[in-house]
Amino acid sequence: DIQMTQSPSSLSASVGDRVTFTCRASQTISTYLNWYQQKPGRAPNLLIYDASSLQSGVPSRFSGSRSGTYFTLTITGVQPEDFATYYCQQSFSTPYTFGQGTSLEI
Amino acid sequence: QVQLQQWGAGLLKSSETLSLTCAVQGGSFSGYYWTWLRQSPGKGLEWIGESNQSGSRNYNPSLQRRVTISVDTSKRWFSLKLSSVTAADMAMYYCARARIAAAGHLEAFDIWGRGTMVTVSS
């Protein structure tokens, strides 16, 4: 199985900050990497697919990038509704796997 | 707007079979893989498996011996059965739509159900 490692496990920020989440794949996965946001008591919500493509309806302050097996999700100008947990997920091969998540906290 | 409505028994005894169903409301039923995932504090988010409308299925090898995913195209439903449950199977179970890219690979899980909490008692 492909292991997805996210860092850090939690991140503190203030409204208006620029924050970056990191995800590393245990092997090459090309750009087959997705990012999800999950709020307490809710299902995950797709933000970014194919490493850098913005899902329809997602604010443009969210962006994604790739460098080799490292992937980043950036929020430029954190809003109050962005405080949540963020997960990466590889869609390169089955079984599809997720990172353990990064919690964005005030 | 596509929505997934899921239901099923949330309280099971050890060794019983978990059975959940998800109805696809709106949108197309073909051209996607219909997927089950689960989330627990210990294992995080875990992909269980998927099926398309033609019955082409893929399962997580860690669960393959116990899992069956089926599709009813006439009702626009898909279902999960997980046999011989134990405490390790306690989790929030989600159904989701797997969007497929033009090249044929999984693109992302773009629509999710609200989840069903499954508890297993001994």
Side-chain angles (χ1 to χ4, degrees):
Chain A
D1 298 3
I2 297 174
Q3 305 301 314
M4 307 302 295
T5 303
Q6 289 188 245
S7 60
S9 57
S10 65
L11 197 53
S12 293
S14 300
V15 173
D17 284 354
R18 181 177 186 268
V19 297
T20 298
F21 307 86
T22 300
C23 175
R24 179 177 60 86
S26 61
Q27 65 182 73
T28 183
I29 58 171
S30 186
T31 59
Y32 298 157
L33 189 284
N34 306 312
W35 289 97
Y36 300 84
Q37 176 194 68
Q38 186 177 32
K39 297 181 180 180
R42 304 285 296 273
N45 180 52
L46 177 65
L47 299 175
I48 299 285
Y49 64 95
D50 201 28
S52 60
S53 297
L54 192 67
Q55 171 68 1
S56 176
V58 174
S60 59
R61 63 181 180 272
F62 292 92
S63 62
S65 65
R66 169 209 177 197
S67 177
T69 59
Y70 285 83
F71 299 84
T72 58
L73 170 70
T74 299
I75 308 175
T76 303
V78 170
Q79 297 300 300
E81 60 269 29
D82 298 337
F83 292 96
T85 301
Y86 293 82
Y87 295 94
C88 61
Q89 173 251 326
Q90 62 83 14
S91 54
F92 181 79
S93 65
T94 59
Y96 305 120
T97 48
F98 291 79
Q100 77 278 20
T102 295
S103 175
L104 180 61
E105 303 166 347
I106 299 174
Chain B
Q1 179 154 350
V2 179
Q3 291 188 320
L4 302 181
Q5 182 79 26
Q6 61 180 100
W7 67 91
L11 180 59
L12 298 169
K13 295 182 179 178
S14 188
S15 80
E16 291 185 334
T17 295
L18 179 158
S19 181
L20 299 175
T21 299
C22 187
V24 180
Q25 300 171 338
S28 174
F29 194 70
S30 62
Y32 300 95
Y33 270 80
W34 302 100
T35 302
W36 289 95
L37 307 100
R38 66 183 183 180
Q39 184 174 30
S40 62
K43 293 186 179 179
L45 280 159
E46 182 177 25
W47 176 79
I48 298 171
E50 63 186 7
S51 178
N52 66 6
Q53 78 283 0
S54 301
S56 175
R57 303 180 183 94
N58 297 293
Y59 296 134
N60 193 320
S62 67
L63 298 169
Q64 187 159 8
R65 291 185 304 106
R66 299 191 291 131
V67 171
T68 302
I69 294 175
S70 57
V71 169
D72 186 329
T73 55
S74 64
K75 293 182 177 178
R76 295 168 55 94
W77 290 0
F78 60 106
S79 299
L80 168 70
K81 291 191 185 298
L82 180 67
S83 64
S84 305
V85 298
T86 70
D89 296 310
M90 288 202 293
M92 181 70 80
Y93 284 74
Y94 293 102
C95 60
R97 186 178 81 172
R99 193 170 70 202
I100 306 303
H105 67 270
L106 168 70
E107 193 164 71
F109 306 118
D110 65 342
I111 307 289
W112 294 64
R114 298 180 72 171
T116 300
M117 185 64 213
V118 171
T119 302
V120 179
S121 67
S122 55

